[in-house]
Amino acid sequence: MNVSSTDLSVLRRCWPEYADVSKTHRVTVHGVEIGGAAPVVIAGPCAVESYDQTLNVARAVRAAGGQLLRGGAYKPRTSPHSFQGLGEEGLEILAEVRRLTGLGIVTEVLDPRLVERVAEQADMLQIGSRSMQNFPLLTEAGRTRMPVLLKRGWSSTLGEWLCAAEYVAKEGNRNIVMCERGVRTSCQWSYSRNIFDLNVIEPLRRATPLPIIGDPSHATGTWTLVPSVARAALAAGVHGLLIEVLEPSGDREQHRCDADQAITPETLAEIVAFARGMQVPGIPEPAPAPTVK
Ligand code: PEP
Ligand code: MN
């Protein structure tokens, strides 16, 4: 598929008010604007595991300067025997933690039948890497008109990712934030879970005015790599970061999901300070006509 020959409403050239490559479509989540000059940091546990854990992490995220809380109530796990998330109970915990901390909530929805329910509790719906081509799910997410965080499938082309965004947009919902979370390469797990695709940021920004978030946690799978990949993503032009964080008392071994990639709240504070010190870089003009496959 060659997206250059297709008219997708999410493409810059089909969206007249964003013809200028320096402009980004801003998406506001619980009062936090994504797509402006200031990078946004979204952080939290991989999964909502208990009320205390979620509240402790949320308070730590807030103290570190994170602007939105991300935590999964419904978890897409490779093995059906792994912890699948607390489900409805997790959603209720997130809503209570928002009430106590004021942080807006980003959480994943896995099942088209649950979109309405998750949308009642969340401020932004996450569509995970494994679900990027779940077309009924994308359509339902589009119908809510809520902000959607659309993670890239780990082997998806830029064109496939943009087409996934189009499924949401065609329902009248352009509140979409794209999330690069690492792609599969032959290096898989030899030193890194995935490889953060720095190269995709500029062509994606050229192709669409939708904002882009970088996820160094799933891109690396290893907490020691998260700070450098976070800084690299910001330098490459993302509008913000999505990062997984430990509880302040942080016993890594006790985490039921993605323990090896969670950073401490102290490290998160350092990344936030770095992000605050910079502006999202522009992209060079004039733009060559992008060929997006
Ligand atoms: C997650 O965000 O916790 C997650 C499962 O990510 P991904 O869909 O990118 O694998
Ligand atoms: Mn995770």
Side-chain angles (χ1 to χ4, degrees):
M1 179 198 47
N2 185 340
V3 172
S4 325
S5 56
T6 322
D7 281 338
L8 301 181
S9 68
V10 295
L11 293 180
R12 208 176 265 291
R13 67 163 187 273
C14 300
W15 200 337
E17 58 274 40
Y18 293 110
D20 176 348
V21 288
S22 67
K23 292 206 174 124
T24 304
H25 176 66
R26 296 176 190 205
V27 176
T28 302
V29 182
H30 197 69
V32 176
E33 191 179 74
I34 306 175
V40 168
V41 178
I42 306 170
C46 177
V48 173
E49 297 186 26
S50 70
Y51 173 75
D52 288 345
Q53 167 249 11
T54 309
L55 184 57
N56 289 339
V57 178
R59 287 188 168 140
V61 165
R62 204 187 161 99
Q67 291 137 292
L68 293 167
L69 179 71
R70 203 300 307 253
Y74 293 94
K75 292 305 302 177
R77 302 307 300 277
T78 301
S79 167
H81 302 300
S82 302
F83 173 58
Q84 304 284 313
L86 295 179
E88 174 61 29
E89 185 191 346
L91 290 180
E92 285 163 22
I93 290 172
L94 286 168
E96 177 63 7
V97 169
R98 174 181 46 208
R99 197 181 68 74
L100 293 172
T101 63
L103 289 171
I105 301 295
V106 184
T107 198
E108 178 156 356
V109 59
L110 275 170
D111 183 332
R113 294 166 297 187
L114 289 176
V115 168
E116 215 176 301
R117 174 64 192 144
V118 176
E120 277 169 16
Q121 301 292 76
D123 299 291
M124 180 179 224
L125 300 174
Q126 175 175 319
I127 307 277
S129 188
R130 294 160 187 78
S131 301
M132 191 204 84
Q133 288 189 314
N134 181 337
F135 302 122
L137 179 64
L138 295 167
T139 299
E140 284 304 317
R143 288 184 180 152
T144 65
R145 311 292 166 97
M146 281 192 67
V148 171
L149 184 69
L150 179 60
K151 293 190 124 190
R152 179 186 188 183
W154 56 61
S155 297
S156 295
T157 65
L158 178 48
E160 288 161 350
W161 193 11
L162 287 164
C163 282
E166 184 72 9
Y167 271 90
V168 177
K170 87 177 196 317
E171 299 305 318
N173 185 0
R174 280 173 166 180
N175 287 319
I176 305 165
V177 176
M178 309 294 270
C179 178
E180 162 58 29
R181 48 77 72 207
V183 291
R184 266 202 182 168
T185 70
S186 52
C187 310
Q188 182 88 11
W189 279 130
S190 68
Y191 52 86
S192 180
R193 182 176 183 176
N194 294 287
I195 300 295
F196 188 87
D197 185 4
L198 287 169
N199 301 24
V200 83
I201 306 302
E202 191 257 11
L204 180 58
R205 284 186 56 185
R206 238 183 240 299
T208 177
L210 297 172
I212 306 157
I213 293 283
D215 171 356
S217 302
H218 295 87
T220 61
T222 309
W223 63 270
T224 52
L225 296 178
V226 169
S228 57
V229 174
R231 291 193 297 269
L234 288 165
V238 297
H239 300 97
L241 298 168
L242 172 63
I243 299 183
E244 291 186 350
V245 187
L246 289 172
E247 270 188 90
S249 58
D251 179 2
R252 193 176 294 282
E253 302 316 311
Q254 287 196 347
H255 283 257
R256 299 172 79 185
C257 195
D258 286 347
D260 295 342
Q261 67 197 32
I263 60 170
T264 62
E266 291 75 28
T267 306
L268 179 69
E270 286 167 19
I271 294 173
V272 170
F274 180 86
R276 284 207 181 135
M278 71 176 289
Q279 290 213 330
V280 176
I283 51 176
E285 295 217 57
T291 301
V292 177
K293 291 188 174 152

